[in-house]
């Protein structure tokens, strides 16, 4: 930096990491994951203008400097070139061919900091921001640190929430349209934040996924749901089937099936009525792996529902191969259905198709009597939505079950 100062030139500190490395590493295994990182580092060294500055700073992130430029465009050009060399041709690891992508954050001396520590902190903030927005590279902006600080704060709060058992499950009933009876309930997680009250999953699940904390919380949810279901049985209620949402990160774990088996055993839940709701896009990401796991679960009498159906791109031929028992039509189609003919036709087609594959169909987010009447006409099997009931805390859903 001293030389740059004398010459009136700039230095960029670039921090880069491999996108979704956690998932790549999980699917490759530890050893191949390490091999991949070594090859990435080799390519980076061969393409970086001053390779001596490159350092591997932790698992999947690298840092390096670009020196002596006057215009940021020059730094971007060098960075682009190196990125192309590193992420262009696919990597061959064992038998697998693998494409990677990277994101980078850039902090420039002297504008973004005049010591290494500040530059590091700011390059890291830029990287985090860029990852959130999907950019390949992002220059530091002063407002970023506030946002990063907020995320860190939330991350800490999530850890505390796990330790203090601040999560709860609410239950939303599903109605059988032919009999009018409650056929099951869906467990929907809530965070009881001591500072802000009840927080919806949309606000914290993404963070739990990004930090890996979803594994702990997801396993807890399955365990909790089965415990509650057992309570109902012990109170002499006709215990409904219970559905738990499962995240991509959970399904991809090699021991996912084991986690489910353990929860069933530990809660003495035989016979159990457990369903898992998995989004369409998630199953399709690695179909072969998913099919294997889902088949084992089916053999354990765990039913699988494809969640948010219609929003992904699953080809219909795959649908026939998947060991699933239920399709949940996404709420967006239920809303659109009564407004335009095309959506109505789509819902109608899904229902007939599902029935021809011996799958049950459930409509989510039903809010109006009109929607309900159409769904009955189209022979949809079940419905769930505010029209019948919002998600309810344990005591309230228990009262509801007592009257049904
Ligand atoms: P989802 O699985 O699609 O769940 C349905 C969402 O729609 C729920 O939001 C539910 O409260 C809401 N909903 C149900 N009926 C109606 C209706 O008639 N109108 C409207 N406007 N909304 C309705 P919620 O509880 O906020 O959950 C959001 C998402 O968070 C869920 O979407 C699910 O993907 C995820 N989630 C919830 N619990 C868990 C969990 O334990 N683990 C994981 N991995 N994800 C969870
Ligand atoms: Ca769901
Ligand atoms: Ca949905």
């Amino acid at each position: 930096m001293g030389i740059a100062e004398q010459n009136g030139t700039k230095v960029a500190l670039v921090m880069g990491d491999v996108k979704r490395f956690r998932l790549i590493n999980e699917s490759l295994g530890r050893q191949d994951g390490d091999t991949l990182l070594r090859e990435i580092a080799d390519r980076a060294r061969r393409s970086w203008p001053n390779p001596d500055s490159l350092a591997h700073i932790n698992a999947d992130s690298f840092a390096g400097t670009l020196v002596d430029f006057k215009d940021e465009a020059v730094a971007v050009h060098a960075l682009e070139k190196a990125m192309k060399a590193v992420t262009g041709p696919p990597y061959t690891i064992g038998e697998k061919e693998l494409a990677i992508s990277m994101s980078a954050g850039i902090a420039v001396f002297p504008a973004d900091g005049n010591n290494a520590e500040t530059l590091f902190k700011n390059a890291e903030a830029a990287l985090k921001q860029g990852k959130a927005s999907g950019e390949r590279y992002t220059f530091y902006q002063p407002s970023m640190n506030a946002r990063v600080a907020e995320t860190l704060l939330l991350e800490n709060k999530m850890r505390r929430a796990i330790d203090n058992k601040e999560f709860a499950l609410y239950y939303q009933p599903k109605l059988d349209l032919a009999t009018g009876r409650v056929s099951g309930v869906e467990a929907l997680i809530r965070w009881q934040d001591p500072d802000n009250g009840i927080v919806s999953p949309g606000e914290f699940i993404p963070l739990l996924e990004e930090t890996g904390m979803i594994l702990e919380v997801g396993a807890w949810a399955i365990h909790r749901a089965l415990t509650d279901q057992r309570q109902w049985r012990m109170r002499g209620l006709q215990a409904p089937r219970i559905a738990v949402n499962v995240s991509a990160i959970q399904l991809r774990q090699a021991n996912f099936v084991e986690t489910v088996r353990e929860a069933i055993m530990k809660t003495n839940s035989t016979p159990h009525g457990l369903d898992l709701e998995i989004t369409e896009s998630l199953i399709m990401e690695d179909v072969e792996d998913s099919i294997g796991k889902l088949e084992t679960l089916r053999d354990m009498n765990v039913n699988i529902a494809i969640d948010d159906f219609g929003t992904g791109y699953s080809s219909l031929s795959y649908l026939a191969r998947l060991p699933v028992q239920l399709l949940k039509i996404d709420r967006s189609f239920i809303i659109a259905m009564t407004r335009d003919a095309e959506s109505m036709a789509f819902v109608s087609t899904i229902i007939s198709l599902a029935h021809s594959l011996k799958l049950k169909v459930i409509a989510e987010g039903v809010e109006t009597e009109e929607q309900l009447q159409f769904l009955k006409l189209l022979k949809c099997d079940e419905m769930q939505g505010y029209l019948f009931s919002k998600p309810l805390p344990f005591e309230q859903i228990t009262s509801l079950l007592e009257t049904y």
Side-chain angles (χ1 to χ4, degrees):
M1 281 184 269
I3 296 171
E5 206 157 19
Q6 282 164 26
N7 300 348
T9 55
K10 302 173 181 176
V11 179
L13 179 68
V14 183
M15 202 178 279
D17 78 4
V18 183
K19 282 192 191 161
R20 297 153 70 80
F21 184 74
R22 184 197 286 277
L23 297 181
I24 297 174
N25 204 26
E26 270 164 17
S27 72
L28 282 179
R30 178 80 188 278
Q31 205 172 0
D32 285 352
D34 287 349
T35 309
L36 175 64
L37 282 177
R38 263 198 309 279
E39 299 203 1
I40 292 173
D42 283 348
R43 281 199 207 173
R45 260 191 297 277
R46 281 196 298 267
S47 58
W48 199 251
N50 47 332
D52 287 347
S53 77
L54 274 184
H56 193 162
I57 50 180
N58 63 42
D60 61 328
S61 37
F62 301 86
T65 55
L66 295 167
V67 293
D68 247 2
F69 58 89
K70 285 208 159 76
D71 186 343
E72 268 80 356
V74 176
V76 167
H77 185 71
L79 174 63
E80 284 273 6
K81 221 173 119 193
M83 283 249 222
K84 210 163 163 191
V86 173
T87 63
Y91 291 79
T92 310
I93 305 291
E95 313 260 273
K96 285 193 179 171
E97 273 229 328
L98 198 83
I100 62 152
S101 46
M102 292 194 70
S103 23
I106 308 160
V108 179
F109 167 87
D112 302 332
N114 55 16
N115 58 55
E117 197 184 329
T118 311
L119 285 174
F120 255 105
K121 196 181 86 202
N122 291 344
E124 194 172 21
L127 175 61
K128 279 204 168 170
Q129 180 64 31
K131 273 165 69 174
S133 59
E135 301 293 334
R136 269 184 312 148
Y137 59 87
T138 309
F139 279 91
Y140 171 73
Q141 288 162 15
S143 60
M144 283 172 181
N145 278 324
R147 248 169 295 162
V148 169
E150 214 170 275
T151 312
L152 281 179
L153 188 72
L154 187 60
E155 221 175 291
N156 288 336
K157 278 182 134 191
M158 287 290 102
R159 272 201 202 288
R160 191 200 59 195
I162 294 178
D163 294 343
N164 298 354
K165 305 189 172 32
E166 290 167 9
F167 293 108
L169 291 184
Y170 277 36
Y171 294 98
Q172 186 177 39
K174 303 175 174 181
L175 213 58
D176 185 310
L177 290 180
T179 64
R181 296 190 62 88
V182 172
S183 54
V185 295
E186 176 178 8
L188 292 158
I189 196 166
R190 298 289 179 268
W191 170 31
Q192 297 164 317
D193 178 1
D195 305 327
N196 298 305
I198 306 288
V199 184
S200 294
E203 294 183 38
F204 59 86
I205 295 270
L207 189 74
L208 291 181
E209 290 180 333
E210 202 178 299
T211 54
M213 288 188 259
I214 190 71
L215 294 178
E216 213 173 316
V217 177
W220 168 84
I222 297 174
H223 193 275
R224 174 86 246 169
L226 288 170
T227 307
D228 288 345
Q229 191 187 42
R230 197 156 161 264
Q231 276 285 326
W232 293 325
R233 216 174 274 131
M234 277 157 55
R235 294 193 194 189
L237 293 171
Q238 179 91 298
R241 295 194 68 80
I242 207 158
V244 180
N245 291 284
V246 167
S247 143
I249 319 275
Q250 289 171 271
L251 183 67
R252 265 194 224 107
Q253 298 299 309
N255 69 351
F256 176 65
V257 175
E258 267 329 293
T259 324
V260 178
R261 200 195 306 272
E262 206 178 293
I264 294 172
M265 268 165 41
K266 282 199 173 152
T267 51
N268 287 324
S269 295
T270 38
H272 61 80
L274 177 66
D275 299 342
L276 298 178
E277 296 195 358
I278 303 177
T279 62
E280 177 187 7
S281 49
L282 201 159
I283 295 180
M284 292 304 156
E285 253 175 43
D286 189 347
V287 177
E288 295 310 321
D289 179 61
S290 299
I291 289 180
K293 287 175 181 160
L294 300 185
E295 276 174 348
T296 317
L297 288 165
R298 181 194 52 198
D299 296 342
M300 289 158 55
N301 269 323
V302 174
N303 283 349
I304 308 294
I306 299 194
D307 212 349
D308 297 342
F309 188 76
T311 58
Y313 328 85
S314 41
S315 80
L316 299 176
S317 59
Y318 268 131
L319 202 52
R321 286 184 58 208
L322 291 176
V324 301
Q325 289 76 27
L326 239 131
L327 282 194
K328 288 190 90 167
I329 305 179
D330 191 64
R331 187 168 84 90
S332 55
F333 297 105
I334 305 304
I335 295 173
M337 178 179 75
T338 49
R339 301 201 185 132
D340 70 85
E342 213 174 299
S343 304
M344 177 71 79
F346 180 76
V347 171
S348 168
T349 308
I350 291 182
I351 295 176
S352 342
L353 174 90
H355 285 163
S356 70
L357 295 171
K358 305 266 184 297
L359 300 178
K360 279 199 170 184
V361 186
I362 171 158
E364 69 173 20
V366 178
E367 291 184 358
T368 69
E369 190 62 36
E370 191 191 9
Q371 291 167 341
L372 175 63
Q373 291 315 322
F374 273 121
L375 290 166
K376 279 186 175 163
L377 275 176
L378 298 176
K379 300 266 183 309
C380 186
D381 301 286
E382 296 179 21
M383 77 89 146
Q384 188 182 348
Y386 294 172
L387 179 66
F388 179 59
S389 169
K390 289 202 168 184
L392 303 170
F394 180 78
E395 287 307 330
Q396 284 180 41
I397 187 80
T398 306
S399 315
L400 185 144
L401 291 174
E402 277 162 354
T403 59
Y404 260 81

